[in-house]
Amino acid sequence: MSDQGDGQAPRKRGRPTREERARRQEEILDAAVGLFVSNGFHAVSLDDVAGSAHVTKRTLYAYFGDKSEIFFAAVARLRRRALEMTGRRCDTPAQLATEIVVALHSDEAIGLHRLMITEAHSFPDLAKRFYDEGPRSYIAALEGLLPEADAGQATALFSLLLGEPHRQRLLGLRPAPTRAQARAQAVAALEALGLEAR
């Protein structure tokens, strides 16, 4: 299989640049997430991902490894968007809480969350790792910005950042929030816990 997509310029031979490698990883993750969400984790093969991303299986192994690692690369990408790569400073609980709402209420996050709920019984190890690398990491990040480190309060805050709006997103009853709506939900969650929302 060629590493050239339909209608795309041919990829040059040789070692890709850092930018080309990053772009190709994003393309692979986009293709894999689309397949996982549409067909389920179990039903998607590496051949399917390779075909959809217009790369070889060898490229998948070189960039990620197996199918589980591709899934967790997608989970990590969401985490980076919320915690590390937003382009915004997250110096306060309100700023971080807003980024978490934006990331976890996105179409991609909702799709991965639905997928994990469906597949958790068949893949318990995948479910545990999803929780550790997803929710647990968000809770730890929130705890690090609270006035006093409190795991219970950070967990309660994270729960409020999902809450009923997230359930409605999972059920397809509401669209992803705007940034202003995400900020309002974050502020309301902080205030409900008696925390200052700056």
Side-chain angles (χ1 to χ4, degrees):
M1 179 184 295
S2 168
D3 272 1
Q4 175 183 341
D6 296 335
Q8 296 177 343
R11 290 185 173 136
K12 67 179 185 180
R13 297 244 181 237
R15 189 174 216 101
T17 65
R18 181 176 296 159
E19 293 78 19
E20 290 168 337
R21 186 174 172 85
R23 184 175 60 250
R24 191 174 300 177
Q25 285 176 327
E26 289 296 305
E27 292 167 355
I28 293 168
L29 290 178
D30 288 342
V33 167
L35 289 169
F36 291 152
V37 169
S38 296
N39 304 319
F41 182 80
H42 181 70
V44 175
S45 69
L46 282 178
D47 285 325
D48 295 331
V49 175
S52 182
H54 306 290
V55 297
T56 62
K57 279 176 67 174
R58 186 177 66 178
T59 299
L60 296 181
Y61 284 118
Y63 279 42
F64 300 104
D66 65 15
K67 186 170 67 169
S68 294
E69 292 307 317
I70 296 172
F71 177 82
F72 284 110
V75 172
R77 178 171 70 168
L78 278 172
R79 186 177 61 242
R80 284 193 308 274
R81 287 176 182 166
L83 305 182
E84 303 166 22
M85 295 175 59
T86 62
R88 297 171 175 84
R89 291 179 59 84
C90 291
D91 296 328
T92 68
Q95 290 168 333
L96 179 57
T98 299
E99 297 304 326
I100 288 172
V101 172
V102 168
L104 296 189
H105 291 245
S106 69
D107 291 341
E108 181 177 355
I110 291 298
L112 290 173
H113 195 120
R114 285 176 181 147
L115 172 67
M116 200 64 263
I117 290 169
T118 302
E119 302 284 8
H121 182 72
S122 300
F123 299 97
D125 292 341
L126 198 68
K128 182 181 184 314
R129 189 169 164 197
F130 174 83
Y131 183 79
D132 289 343
E133 296 189 17
R136 190 182 301 274
S137 67
Y138 294 109
I139 292 167
L142 288 165
E143 184 179 4
L145 286 180
L146 292 177
E148 295 179 18
D150 182 331
Q153 196 169 46
T155 300
L157 176 56
F158 181 73
S159 295
L160 289 173
L161 296 177
L162 298 181
E164 196 59 26
H166 193 260
R167 185 189 332 271
Q168 292 176 16
R169 287 284 292 133
L170 288 170
L171 294 171
L173 300 177
R174 67 160 60 195
T178 64
R179 181 162 289 281
Q181 290 167 333
R183 168 79 181 174
Q185 184 176 341
V187 167
L190 287 159
E191 289 176 346
L193 294 173
L195 295 168
E196 187 176 350
R198 294 183 287 111

